[in-house]
Amino acid sequence: MDSVQNVASGFSLNLEPLKEPLGFIRLLEWIFTIFAFGTAGGYSGTTHFSVNCGVQQTQNLSVSFSYPFRLLKSEYSIVLCNTTKVESFLQGDFSSSAEFFVCVGVFGFLYCTATLILYLGFQHVYRQTSRGPIIDLVVTAAFAFLWLVSSSAWGKGLTDIKWATNPNHLVEQCSSDCKAGEFPSMGRLNASVIFGFLNLILWAGNCWFIYKETPFHKDPNQPAPVEEGGVPGH
């Protein structure tokens, strides 16, 4: 209870860090991270095709799929014109790349929230020792690498999802009676990949500004020490 009171008593809201690159870029990371995992997680789409057995015997089929894109669980039935019923599934399981991408986004959001609270409410604690900026630099660099890996993997997974849910691909398994229909809307998923690589740029670029807060960075404005016995200006 005392530790909670000590933390609360040390809180001092200061919005000035948001005017500096360190805080402003962290706020952008917070926003773009939400967009990244929000556009990928919770997605659901539908692909369409039809079986034409005459003017009055058209069977319209729609196959639904959703995050985390275990397409092998998306079952659908086709009744061909010779009344043969075919049970089929979509192809592929892309849950690993999708869940990895969303996981990086969620943890990145939590880290941004924690560091924004630290920047805005406990700036004196953050700058009190060199440990805070060094840890922040290491974690930010790690997230930049994770954004690179997860966005690349998810971009490849999305390409495979588009192929697996393409109506032109689905009608290949049935006779000439099948006709491709409406393509599933992939706008949200395309945006998620874009936000993923934007996060990579933001997190990687922010490493420089955090590095300037660490003792490893030498201030160029700091006067150089004068050698003993030397004459200043010579």
Side-chain angles (χ1 to χ4, degrees):
M1 188 66 179
D2 293 336
S3 60
V4 175
Q5 292 178 350
N6 293 333
V7 172
S9 62
F11 180 82
S12 177
L13 182 61
N14 181 14
L15 299 181
E16 287 299 318
L18 293 180
K19 299 179 181 179
E20 302 174 1
L22 182 68
F24 180 71
I25 295 179
R26 184 67 79 196
L27 179 61
L28 290 180
E29 291 171 352
W30 186 78
I31 296 173
F32 278 85
T33 298
I34 295 175
F35 286 148
F37 74 81
T39 49
Y43 170 88
S44 61
T46 306
T47 185
H48 304 267
F49 64 98
S50 61
V51 180
N52 301 316
C53 301
V55 179
Q56 298 180 348
Q57 294 180 331
T58 300
Q59 179 188 7
N60 294 315
L61 299 173
S62 59
V63 187
S64 299
F65 59 97
S66 61
Y67 175 85
F69 307 105
R70 294 186 178 93
L71 302 185
L72 292 173
K73 295 185 178 180
S74 299
E75 182 181 8
Y76 59 97
S77 301
I78 305 175
V79 180
L80 302 178
C81 296
N82 59 2
T83 68
T84 301
K85 186 175 182 181
V86 179
E87 299 289 343
S88 188
F89 298 84
L90 294 179
Q91 301 177 17
D93 184 349
F94 311 100
S95 59
S96 57
S97 59
E99 290 177 333
F100 179 44
F101 180 81
V102 171
C103 181
V104 171
V106 170
F107 279 104
F109 164 76
L110 295 176
Y111 183 72
C112 286
T113 302
T115 50
L116 281 174
I117 294 174
L118 183 63
Y119 292 167
L120 303 181
F122 300 94
Q123 184 66 210
H124 59 287
V125 177
Y126 180 78
R127 298 181 184 272
Q128 188 173 5
T129 64
S130 61
R131 183 180 303 174
I134 292 176
I135 295 175
D136 193 14
L137 175 61
V138 172
V139 176
T140 301
F143 267 107
F145 175 75
L146 289 175
W147 278 118
L148 171 62
V149 176
S150 63
S151 298
S152 301
W154 172 227
K156 176 59 169 61
L158 179 56
T159 301
D160 294 337
I161 291 172
K162 290 179 178 179
W163 177 84
T165 59
N166 188 328
N168 291 321
H169 166 66
L170 296 179
V171 298
E172 292 176 356
Q173 60 184 310
C174 51
S175 63
S176 58
D177 301 324
C178 294
K179 181 181 179 181
E182 183 180 355
F183 283 71
S185 176
M186 297 286 187
R188 279 184 54 183
L189 300 184
N190 292 331
S192 68
V193 176
I194 295 174
F195 283 123
F197 283 105
L198 286 176
N199 273 295
L200 165 62
I201 297 173
L202 286 173
W203 288 77
N206 200 21
C207 289
W208 166 247
F209 297 102
I210 301 175
Y211 170 74
K212 293 174 67 175
E213 301 293 328
T214 65
F216 307 124
H217 178 261
K218 183 179 180 181
D219 189 355
N221 297 323
Q222 183 178 358
V226 180
E227 297 182 1
E228 185 176 353
V231 180
H234 295 275

